[in-house]
Amino acid sequence: GDWKLPLAFVHRKRAPHYQRPGRRLRTWAKRFERFVVRERRRYGGRAYYRIGPDRWLRARDVRLVETAPAPSAVKGNQRWIDIDVARQILVAYRGRVPVFATLVSTGKRGQTPRGTFPVWAKIAATDMRSRPQESYQYQLWDVPWTVFFKGAYGLHGTYWHSRFGHRKSAGCVNLSPRDARWVFAFVRPALPPGWWAILPRASESPSLVRVRDS
């Protein structure tokens, strides 16, 4: 529709509007609001994004989502997921075409593995618990819409926090439950009706998940 990259997601509690770079208004954009970026400009050593007529936001108040080149392993219109841990954003692609973008929370202290990985399992809901060597101990029931891409690391819905746009997790990629459900349905293999979990068949080409640091 009308949405296209680059997009700006507000990640702070609120972000002041500017009439033009350097001229602040008394109105605010709310957390998690998103806008198409129509122009970029620097003023006084600071970066600003124009989001509409006489409406600008400061770059530091938003997470910028831009189109990224596909990994060499992507073939044709293969579905894949791009995660940028620096910006805490996720973009879903069909081939080279972006179709979905949102904020995420990846692992603190670089715990989310970097690289390009095939999806190896999908589970509609699963329990998760910390490993004995982890300093922070937790146990979570019915974590929804989990897509595993490297060992026990995966994308999943998160009902215990809403810090999306900031690093928060123990290593997995946290999404809001609604966003996680969309990603779960998008990536391949597809989960047949009535099934709880699925592994890709040897003859299938599962979706890829790329985790990078821009």
Side-chain angles (χ1 to χ4, degrees):
D2 295 332
W3 296 101
K4 59 181 179 180
L5 300 186
L7 287 174
F9 284 84
V10 177
H11 69 91
R12 297 176 181 270
K13 185 176 182 179
R14 61 181 186 172
H17 289 129
Y18 289 79
Q19 185 177 18
R20 61 177 183 271
R23 185 176 180 81
R24 183 170 168 174
L25 298 172
R26 293 185 178 181
T27 57
W28 305 80
K30 297 179 181 178
R31 187 177 178 213
F32 299 146
E33 280 195 89
R34 63 193 186 278
F35 306 91
V36 175
V37 175
R38 306 182 185 280
E39 183 183 348
R40 310 182 199 191
R41 190 182 300 174
R42 294 192 68 84
Y43 177 84
R46 297 171 178 171
Y48 295 82
Y49 302 141
R50 185 171 69 85
I51 59 172
D54 300 322
R55 283 293 183 274
W56 295 73
L57 293 173
R58 283 185 59 175
R60 74 173 188 178
D61 295 328
V62 301
R63 301 296 190 198
L64 183 67
V65 186
E66 299 177 286
T67 303
S72 59
V74 171
K75 306 300 181 185
N77 288 323
Q78 184 178 8
R79 301 181 182 200
W80 63 284
I81 303 293
D82 183 55
I83 298 158
D84 184 348
V85 298
R87 296 180 177 178
Q88 294 293 291
I89 56 103
L90 174 152
V91 182
Y93 289 85
R94 286 192 183 97
R96 271 65 180 170
V97 180
V99 296
F100 182 83
T102 192
L103 296 173
V104 298
S105 290
T106 64
K108 294 182 177 181
R109 298 177 292 279
Q111 291 172 308
T112 305
R114 311 296 197 267
T116 301
F117 314 96
V119 170
W120 74 264
K122 290 171 57 174
I123 305 178
T126 185
D127 299 338
M128 294 185 177
R129 59 183 58 84
S130 56
R131 292 165 293 185
Q133 64 269 29
E134 291 186 63
S135 58
Y136 175 70
Q137 297 294 301
Y138 60 87
Q139 185 157 342
L140 302 163
W141 306 107
D142 294 328
V143 177
W145 313 119
T146 300
V147 177
F148 288 107
F149 59 86
K150 180 177 172 58
Y153 293 99
L155 321 169
H156 60 72
T158 304
Y159 53 77
W160 53 92
H161 78 80
S162 59
R163 290 282 295 161
F164 309 111
H166 300 268
R167 300 173 197 244
K168 175 72 175 176
S169 82
C172 286
V173 180
N174 293 177
L175 299 97
S176 73
R178 179 182 293 180
D179 289 346
R181 183 174 185 173
W182 191 97
V183 171
F184 186 91
F186 175 78
V187 300
R188 294 297 179 259
L191 191 72
W195 286 40
W196 192 259
I198 191 169
L199 305 175
R201 296 177 180 176
S203 60
E204 290 181 311
S205 295
S207 296
L208 301 177
V209 175
R210 179 178 68 186
V211 183
R212 61 188 177 90
D213 187 341
S214 65

